[in-house]
């Protein structure tokens, strides 16, 4: 039975132990709010994670939770979904784990359209192990293992998920709670693999990495809020927009002429190509995009997996020990 | 001797009413295109119907598609049949060589008075050169064996089928299709030699090729021609007199040849049916574990499913996800894939979830030799984890034991919520043997108290087996958190306190002792006052047992025991080791079990090992027993 819940009903008995000011607090609050607001059965919500700061999330929620191996949560979630397809399976990954030990599992889950919801909490640093660079750390970042600044090129998480075939890809911010709440709801409702990148501030090891997006005042100047069917514009009075031109993105200042008209966002587009371009835009040359990049429908992994073998058997199943080549002893 | 468990009888088949004849080892060898696998399968089918007990081991070429008639492309099936469980020795009584390369590889194994039957049509200059023969070994001054029977099988097959006008305009079959029936011609000859009725084969052919009358007709003609030719041409010098075993001849009993992989799969399917819980096997393509993967993929349904994962860590992680969801998560693994799964085993141990690892040992390190036999992963299974994360380790002693032991392993995993590893080797997974199909009512049930979702206990409170209730997601009102973190005993509270860690370590160790009680003692066969105990484990049982018998015939008082439970060791292990003045521990590795036993127990023993990728030879083991008994080795 679904009863009216409050977000506080979804707090577990465990004491929350993140650093003061950590962006994970806001994310946890929005997860609880989403769980309370949506018509979901508590016992059918399962959160899985591995090792990392963000991976403590399942311990702090009063749903079913499983905190396993560094890099193992995606595949464990896949197995859980095969055992019990009715469950809603959430995976919480940090960028260190998600694009470290879990990368291969993650990419294959994308292509198989496993019906799990991955919350990819990206602070561009490995926090729990005290500040080493991850695969999303931007060049020049000073880390415990790159004292002169990281020199490697980072991955764009949403672009990679799109390239791997994810059917739902979105990005949000820890500090934009309303937007984050909406995106979590959308992910929960998506049938298939959902990848949500949440930009999150690590107060201790990578503070202010998203400083340009931190305040409500600054955000409109640096962000495009993607909305399906609407023009992609940003800045005060939507004075700037983006459009696709010659397989790349360019900036325009809309002035009611066809050549300056911003592109209309189409999250249901079959091709992920445009979404991939949007997912790689970065300040300061371009605005960054948040919202739903892609939401398309495909058959889920557990549906295709059980197709054929899951047809109801009218007879009581019996183990055939004899096989085709048994013989009576004459 | 007090406390010693004695099991003098042979299992399952009962005592034979006829005097024991030695096992007859038949080896069929040829090129990959000679149809050796089908020939061997049909021979076993026919001989099994007659009541013989059969044991067969295939040897595949390492290359996927080797050049024709080269040594690298030889496919061999070795088949022992006798009125008893008897092992295959390296001595062959009858060698069927369908090409020179097969003969070249196995000529040394044929007994001096053994029979060589060869398809002389494939012993042309090119084929001989490919095999490295300078002269024809079938005839003339270079003839290898005095009992060589050289038959132009390809030509005779062609003649037998030629009513179909092969290759001519309007013919129903091509020359190639006709020539491929030569293995059936050879089969007909073999069945005549051993006085085995041909009806089971004819029935099989009719069923197999019912949709292709031309092939059916050609197959039957070739097969019958081989049988008739043996008689009319008086090919064989004498016919051996073998008799089927009485206990197998009971009317109404159904038998089949079963490989270890078949048996394991049947057991997993039985668990799915009996528990009404999903049983899922997740594995990769790494050989030789890929063999059960292919088999499983073709046999899904009724609660059993299979998934090919993208790496071993993913496979084991998928499996543990299934177990967390209330099913039995299984994974099949080989070689260096096994260490990849080590941390998942640790997680299963910490989170107290069932996990079934079907581990397929192979020879070699790194890339390894998947075609070669070795008991190479005992050390990894017993010790290969960080921290004190125990893994239950079992090893089947024969192909058909894979059925019983997989059922037992599943039972342990689900009853104790613990990871269990079944250590296979090629002698019990790839090999096949005759199997009296058990009565359905004799199969074990899987009713456990902690299956009930309305358990009044909390998710962390242990029962008298030291197992917590298996409460799975989806159960209302029982929401809880599990994982790899150390926690307080009987509590969800994550704890880093030393005393809690100590309590959990002791809890996990105590549960292993409960499992040892559940599994039972080690049986020993032979005299209670024997001077020597021969101890082995895994798929070498029939060879070791036969060596024991041989030593006894030669006047040595020797007992025999074979471990199926390697961790935890049987509770009577110490008593068994101390009951005999001398112990020989035989295994196909550098002496891993011996080292383990030496570490744990005081006893007088030696390690007898083989590490070249081959099985023990009965005579060598027997020699070791004799030498040790006489004090000639230490």
């Amino acid at each position: 039975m679904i009863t009216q819940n409050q977000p506080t009903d979804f707090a577990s008995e465990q004491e929350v132990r993140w650093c003061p000011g950590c962006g994970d607090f806001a994310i946890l609050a929005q997860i609880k709010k989403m769980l309370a607001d949506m018509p979901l059965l508590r016992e059918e919500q399962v959160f899985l994670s591995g090792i990392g700061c963000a991976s403590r999330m399942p311990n702090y929620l009063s749903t079913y939770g499983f905190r396993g191996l560094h890099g193992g949560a995606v595949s464990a979630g896949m197995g859980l979904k095969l055992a019990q397809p009715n469950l809603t399976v959430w995976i919480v990954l940090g960028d260190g784990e998600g694009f470290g030990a879990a990368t291969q599992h993650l990419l294959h889950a994308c292509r198989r359209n496993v019906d799990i919801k991955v919350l990819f909490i990206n602070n561009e640093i490995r926090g729990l192990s005290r500040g080493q660079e991850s695969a999303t750390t931007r060049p020049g970042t000073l880390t415990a293992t790159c004292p002169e600044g990281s020199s490697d090129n980072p991955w764009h998480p949403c672009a990679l998920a799109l390239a791997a075939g994810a059917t739902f890809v979105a990005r949000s911010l820890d500090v934009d709670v309303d937007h984050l709440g909406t995106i979590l709801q959308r992910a929960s409702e998506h049938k298939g693999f959902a990848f949500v990148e949440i930009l999150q501030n690590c107060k201790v090891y990578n503070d202010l990495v998203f400083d340009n997006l931190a305040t409500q005042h600054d955000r409109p100047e640096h962000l495009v809020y993607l909305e399906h069917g609407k023009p992609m514009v940003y800045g005060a009075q939507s004075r700037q927009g983006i459009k696709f031109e010659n397989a790349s993105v360019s900036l325009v200042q809309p002035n009611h002429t066809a050549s300056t008209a911003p592109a209309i966002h189409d999250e249901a587009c079959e091709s992920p190509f445009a979404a991939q371009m949007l997912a790689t835009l970065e300040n300061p040359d371009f605005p960054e995009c948040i919202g739903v990049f892609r939401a398309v429908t495909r058959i889920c992994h557990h549906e295709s997996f059980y197709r054929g073998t899951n047809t109801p058997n009218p007879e009581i199943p019996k183990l055939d020990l004899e096989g085709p080549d048994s013989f009576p002893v004459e | 001797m007090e406390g010693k468990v004695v099991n003098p009888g042979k299992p399952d088949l009962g005592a034979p009413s006829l005097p024991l004849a030695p096992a007859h080892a038949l080896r069929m060898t040829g090129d990959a295109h000679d149809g050796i696998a089908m020939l061997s399968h049909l021979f076993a089918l026919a001989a099994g119907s007659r009541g013989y007990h059969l044991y067969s081991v295939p040897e595949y070429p390492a290359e996927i598609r080797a050049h024709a008639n080269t040594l690298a492309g030889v496919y061999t099936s070795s088949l022992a049949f006798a009125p008893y469980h008897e092992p295959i020795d390296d001595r062959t009584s009858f060698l069927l060589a369908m090409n020179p390369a097969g003969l070249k590889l196995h000529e040394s194994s044929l007994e001096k008075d053994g029979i060589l039957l060869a398809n002389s049509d494939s012993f042309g200059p090119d084929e001989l050169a490919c095999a490295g023969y300078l002269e024809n070994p079938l005839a003339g001054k270079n003839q290898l064996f005095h009992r060589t029977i050289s038959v132009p099988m390809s030509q005779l097959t062609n003649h037998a089928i030629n009513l179909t006008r092969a290759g001519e305009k309007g013919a129903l079959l091509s020359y190639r299709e006709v020539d491929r029936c030569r293995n059936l011609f050879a089969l007909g000859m073999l069945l005549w030699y051993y006085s085995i009725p041909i009806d089971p084969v004819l029935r099989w052919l009719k069923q197999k090729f019912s949709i292709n009358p031309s092939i059916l007709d050609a197959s039957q003609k070739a097969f019958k021609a081989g049988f008739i030719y043996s008689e009319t041409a008086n090919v064989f010098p004498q016919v051996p007199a073998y008799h089927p075993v009485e206990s197998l001849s009971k009317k109404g009993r159904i038998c089949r040849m079963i490989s270890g992989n078949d048996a394991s799969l049947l057991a997993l399917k039985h668990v799915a049916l009996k528990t009404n819980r999903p049983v899922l096997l997740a594995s990769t393509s790494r050989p030789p574990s890929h063999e059960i993967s292919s088999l499983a993929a073709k046999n899904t349904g009724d609660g059993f499913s299979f998934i090919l994962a993208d790496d071993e860590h993913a496979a084991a992680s998928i499996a543990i996800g299934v177990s967390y969801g209330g099913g039995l998560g299984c994974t099949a693994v080989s070689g260096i894939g096994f260490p990849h799964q080590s941390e998942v085993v640790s997680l299963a141990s910490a989170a107290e979830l069932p996990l079934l690892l079907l581990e397929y040992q192979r020879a070699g390190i790194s890339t390894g030799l998947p075609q070669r036999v070795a008991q190479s992963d005992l050390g990894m299974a017993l010790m290969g984890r960080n921290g004190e994360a125990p893994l239950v380790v079992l090893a089947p002693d024969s192909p058909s034991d894979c059925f019983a032991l997989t059922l037992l392993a599943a039972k342990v995993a689900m009853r104790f919520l613990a990871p269990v590893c079944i250590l296979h080797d090629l002698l019990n997974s790839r090999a096949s043997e005759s199997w009296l199909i058990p009565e359905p009512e004799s199969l074990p049930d899987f009713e456990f108290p902690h299956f009930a979702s309305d358990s009044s206990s909390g998710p962390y409170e242990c029962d008298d087996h030291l197992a917590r209730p298996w409460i799975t997601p989806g159960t209302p009102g029982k929401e809880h958190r599990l994982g790899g973190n150390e926690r307080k005993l009987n509590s969800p509270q994550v704890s880093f306190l030393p005393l809690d860690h100590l309590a959990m370590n002791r809890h996990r160790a105590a549960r292993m002792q409960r499992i040892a009680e559940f599994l039972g003692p080690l049986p020993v066969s032979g005299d209670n006052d024997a001077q020597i105990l021969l101890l082995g484990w895994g798929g070498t049982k029939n060879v070791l047992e036969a060596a024991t018998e041989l030593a006894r015939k030669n006047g040595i008082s020797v007992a025999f025991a074979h471990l199926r439970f390697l961790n935890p060791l049987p509770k009577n292990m110490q008593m068994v080791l101390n009951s005999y003045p001398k112990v020989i521990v035989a295994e196909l590795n550098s002496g891993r079990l011996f080292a383990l036993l030496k570490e744990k127990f005081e006893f007088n023993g030696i390690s007898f090992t083989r590490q070249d990728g081959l099985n023990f030879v009965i005579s060598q083991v027997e020699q070791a027993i004799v030498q040790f008994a006489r004090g000639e080795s230490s």
Side-chain angles (χ1 to χ4, degrees):
Chain A
M1 193 177 75
I2 299 169
T3 53
Q4 197 65 39
N5 287 308
Q6 296 298 317
T8 49
D9 295 338
F10 287 91
S12 76
E13 72 287 346
Q14 297 268 327
E15 180 191 354
V16 181
R17 297 178 71 169
W18 283 311
C19 306
C22 177
D24 286 341
F25 284 102
I27 298 169
L28 175 62
Q30 286 309 308
I31 292 173
K32 289 181 194 166
K33 185 168 182 304
M34 180 267 299
L35 292 170
D37 289 349
M38 293 190 70
L40 304 169
L41 291 170
R42 179 197 305 261
E43 66 269 19
E44 292 188 352
Q45 305 300 308
V46 190
F47 284 78
L48 294 93
S49 68
I51 307 296
C53 291
S55 294
R56 290 179 175 175
M57 203 72 77
N59 285 10
Y60 303 147
L61 292 163
S62 65
T63 61
Y64 279 96
F66 187 76
R67 199 176 161 201
L69 297 172
H70 191 63
V74 172
S75 292
M78 185 172 164
L80 176 60
K81 191 74 187 176
L82 290 175
Q84 292 203 47
N86 57 317
L87 299 176
T88 305
V89 177
W90 298 83
I91 311 289
V92 184
L93 291 174
D95 51 289
E97 177 185 11
F99 280 170
T103 309
Q104 181 168 337
H105 304 204
L106 190 62
L107 297 182
H108 285 295
C110 289
R111 80 176 168 88
R112 293 182 197 251
N113 198 28
V114 180
D115 188 12
I116 55 178
K117 323 298 166 196
V118 173
L119 306 182
F120 188 95
I121 298 176
N122 183 11
N123 54 20
E124 300 188 6
I125 200 80
R126 294 173 189 263
L128 190 72
S129 50
R130 308 198 173 194
Q132 299 84 7
E133 67 279 10
S134 77
T136 61
T137 303
R138 59 191 73 185
T141 307
L142 301 179
T143 72
T145 42
C146 279
E148 295 175 2
S150 172
S151 57
D152 294 334
N153 285 324
W155 269 334
H156 294 93
C158 288
L160 200 55
L162 286 161
T167 52
F168 180 93
V169 179
R171 183 189 286 154
S172 191
L173 288 168
D174 57 354
V175 289
D176 194 341
V177 291
D178 290 341
H179 186 265
L180 177 57
T182 306
I183 294 294
L184 290 176
Q185 281 202 15
R186 287 284 310 273
S188 167
E189 289 161 353
H190 178 71
K191 192 168 157 291
F193 186 87
F195 181 87
V196 179
E197 179 190 11
I198 305 171
L199 304 180
Q200 177 251 14
N201 190 50
C202 175
K203 190 77 180 163
V204 177
Y205 294 108
N206 209 9
D207 196 19
L208 305 178
V209 65
F210 303 117
D211 193 32
N212 53 338
L213 312 177
T215 66
Q216 278 188 332
H217 178 266
D218 288 343
R219 254 176 254 149
E221 294 300 318
H222 303 293
L223 275 182
V224 174
Y225 282 83
L226 299 173
E227 290 183 80
H228 180 59
K230 297 200 172 165
M232 293 183 278
V233 292
Y234 67 105
Q237 288 88 45
S238 303
R239 67 178 187 278
Q240 285 194 290
I242 56 179
K243 73 171 190 175
F244 301 114
E245 201 169 39
N246 298 330
S248 64
V249 172
S250 59
L251 299 179
V252 291
Q253 293 184 330
N255 60 7
H256 305 292
T257 62
S259 61
T260 62
I264 306 295
H265 180 51
D266 180 9
E267 66 182 31
C269 181
E270 282 299 311
S271 165
F273 182 59
Q276 277 178 268
M277 286 197 287
L278 295 174
T280 54
L281 299 182
E282 285 180 311
N283 287 170
D285 298 336
F286 290 97
E288 297 192 19
C289 297
I290 66 169
V292 177
F293 292 99
R294 189 183 198 216
V296 295
T297 305
R298 298 270 188 281
I299 187 169
C300 294
H301 175 254
H302 63 275
E303 293 168 336
S304 54
F305 183 80
Y306 286 122
R307 192 166 49 186
T309 60
N310 211 24
T311 44
N313 189 347
E315 296 172 6
I316 297 170
K318 188 172 166 289
L319 185 63
D320 177 19
L321 289 171
E322 297 181 11
D325 289 339
S326 61
F327 45 81
V329 179
E330 293 167 353
Chain B
M1 194 170 295
E2 192 184 339
K4 189 183 289 184
V5 181
V6 177
N7 179 20
K10 304 270 184 175
D12 301 329
L13 301 177
S17 60
L18 297 167
L20 285 185
H24 197 83
L26 164 65
R27 192 162 274 171
M28 310 165 186
T29 182
D31 200 53
H33 302 294
D34 279 324
I36 299 295
M38 180 180 168
L39 203 166
S40 171
H41 177 75
L42 291 179
F43 184 90
L45 182 71
S49 303
R50 188 89 175 101
Y52 291 111
H53 185 86
L54 293 109
Y55 181 90
S56 114
V57 185
E59 290 175 46
Y60 305 120
E63 277 79 356
I64 293 167
R65 194 166 283 188
H67 289 284
N69 291 309
T70 57
L71 297 175
V74 170
Y75 184 104
T76 302
S77 179
S78 301
L79 216 150
F81 63 109
Y84 223 127
H85 278 293
E86 284 285 345
I88 292 177
D89 205 342
D90 65 344
R91 293 155 64 80
T92 306
S93 317
F94 193 119
L95 178 63
L96 168 68
M98 295 299 280
N99 78 344
L103 176 60
K104 186 75 176 175
L105 273 188
H106 297 290
E107 63 179 34
S108 62
S109 73
L110 187 61
E111 288 172 347
K112 195 178 157 199
D113 292 329
I115 294 178
L116 167 65
L117 173 62
N119 177 13
S120 57
D121 287 333
S122 63
F123 280 69
D126 291 346
E127 290 93 339
L128 289 169
C130 277
Y133 283 117
L134 299 176
E135 302 289 342
N136 192 335
L138 301 181
K141 63 179 169 51
N142 294 300
Q143 182 175 334
L144 284 175
F145 298 97
H146 71 274
R147 296 176 74 186
T148 295
I149 299 164
S150 181
V151 178
M153 295 185 196
S154 301
Q155 287 181 53
L156 291 170
T157 300
N158 217 331
H159 292 158
I161 306 174
N162 71 0
L163 288 177
T164 57
R165 299 160 64 85
E168 294 178 18
K169 193 175 179 183
L172 296 172
L173 296 176
S174 65
Y175 278 121
R176 187 188 167 97
E177 285 170 315
V178 168
D179 193 39
R180 285 177 68 178
C181 294
R182 63 189 181 276
N183 62 340
L184 290 166
F185 186 94
L187 177 65
M189 293 191 73
L190 292 176
L191 293 192
W192 186 89
Y193 176 69
Y194 289 110
S195 305
I196 294 169
I198 62 173
D199 292 349
V201 174
L202 290 174
R203 282 198 295 270
W204 188 91
L205 291 173
K206 203 168 178 180
Q207 193 179 0
K208 178 79 175 174
F209 299 122
S210 59
I211 56 167
N212 194 333
S214 311
I215 295 281
L216 173 62
D217 182 59
S219 304
Q220 288 174 333
K221 280 178 176 158
F223 173 58
K224 286 178 182 170
F227 191 84
I228 295 165
Y229 177 79
S230 302
E231 182 168 338
T232 53
N234 198 17
V235 172
F236 294 104
Q238 64 185 76
V239 178
Y242 283 94
H243 304 282
V245 64
E246 189 67 22
S247 61
L248 273 177
S249 304
K250 287 176 183 168
K251 288 280 180 192
R253 296 303 299 269
I254 305 292
C255 200
R256 67 175 285 190
M257 286 296 284
I258 194 161
S259 71
N261 287 329
D262 285 327
S264 303
L265 189 65
L266 279 176
L268 294 181
K269 290 185 72 85
H270 177 71
V271 175
L273 279 176
K274 281 283 180 185
T275 60
N276 204 23
R277 286 167 177 258
V279 174
L280 184 140
L281 178 68
S283 67
T284 70
S285 58
R286 196 185 301 269
S289 66
H290 71 301
E291 290 171 5
I292 194 163
S293 303
S294 304
L295 207 56
K298 293 174 194 147
N299 285 283
T300 57
D302 296 330
F304 174 76
S305 50
F306 166 78
I307 187 166
L308 185 73
D310 300 290
D311 63 79
E312 276 85 0
H313 192 279
S317 294
I318 290 170
I320 205 167
V322 171
S323 295
Y324 176 53
L328 179 62
C330 315
T331 178
V333 67
S334 290
I336 52 173
F338 193 19
H340 286 182
Q341 299 190 333
S342 168
E343 59 173 332
V344 187
V345 174
S346 289
L347 174 61
S349 192
E352 297 178 42
L353 284 171
L355 181 68
L356 193 56
L357 285 93
L358 309 179
E359 212 277 340
Y360 293 84
Q361 299 172 102
R362 63 189 198 190
I365 58 171
S366 191
T367 306
L369 295 86
Q371 313 297 330
R372 291 283 168 220
V373 62
Q375 296 174 325
S376 49
D377 295 330
L378 181 62
M380 181 67 211
L382 296 175
M383 314 291 284
R385 279 163 305 289
N386 56 309
E388 302 294 329
L391 172 63
V392 178
V393 182
L394 312 178
D397 61 27
S398 70
S400 63
D401 190 39
C402 290
F403 183 75
L405 207 73
T406 304
L407 290 180
L408 187 61
K411 205 161 193 173
V412 170
M414 297 169 98
R415 179 63 190 91
F416 293 88
L417 299 192
V420 179
C421 172
I422 306 178
L423 274 183
H424 300 84
D425 51 54
L426 297 183
L427 300 170
N428 54 29
S429 64
R430 188 178 282 172
S432 305
E433 68 175 332
S434 306
W435 187 48
L436 271 177
I437 294 167
E439 302 294 341
E441 56 270 19
S442 70
L443 300 178
D445 274 327
F446 279 80
E447 288 297 327
F448 301 132
H450 66 295
F451 272 16
S453 60
D454 58 353
S455 164
S456 56
S457 306
Y460 310 95
E461 293 170 43
C462 294
D463 63 8
D464 56 348
H465 281 63
L466 300 183
R468 62 177 190 85
W470 195 5
I471 297 169
T472 55
T475 311
K478 297 278 188 181
E479 292 84 359
H480 63 281
R481 270 63 59 197
L482 279 182
N485 283 112
E486 196 69 294
R487 59 182 171 81
K488 206 173 171 61
L489 187 63
N490 293 332
S491 155
Q493 188 65 48
V494 172
S495 173
F496 305 129
L497 296 176
L499 282 178
D500 286 334
H501 175 48
L502 180 63
M504 288 304 291
N505 268 339
R506 285 179 173 164
H507 165 67
R508 289 186 280 265
R511 190 171 44 200
M512 290 297 276
Q513 290 310 305
R514 300 294 168 96
I515 293 172
E517 286 161 16
F518 182 82
L519 291 173
L522 170 68
V524 183
S525 66
D527 298 335
N528 286 354
D529 56 354
Q531 291 304 297
I532 283 190
L533 170 73
L534 178 64
L535 179 68
W537 65 276
T540 56
K541 184 186 177 190
N542 58 358
V543 170
L544 300 182
E545 204 168 30
T548 310
E549 298 274 354
L550 196 58
R552 282 181 193 141
K553 282 179 192 164
N554 290 330
I556 307 293
S557 175
V558 56
F560 175 66
H562 205 76
L563 280 166
R564 293 164 80 225
F565 316 137
L566 294 153
N567 194 37
L569 285 166
K571 287 237 162 192
N572 65 336
M573 192 74 240
Q574 170 105 57
M575 198 172 354
V576 169
L577 289 172
N578 293 150
S579 296
Y580 302 92
K582 295 176 177 179
V583 179
I584 301 177
V585 182
E587 50 193 323
L588 300 173
N589 56 38
S590 63
R592 300 276 181 167
L593 176 64
F594 179 76
L596 171 79
L597 295 174
K598 270 289 180 190
E599 183 191 314
K600 285 179 178 279
F601 309 109
E602 288 276 333
F603 67 99
N604 177 30
I606 59 165
S607 173
F608 183 72
T609 66
R610 184 164 186 175
Q611 296 185 69
D612 58 0
L614 297 172
N615 191 8
F616 288 124
V617 175
I618 297 170
S619 55
Q620 288 175 350
V621 180
E622 188 260 347
Q623 208 177 355
I625 296 170
V626 172
Q627 283 179 352
F628 194 40
R630 293 175 182 161
E632 294 168 8
S633 62
S634 58

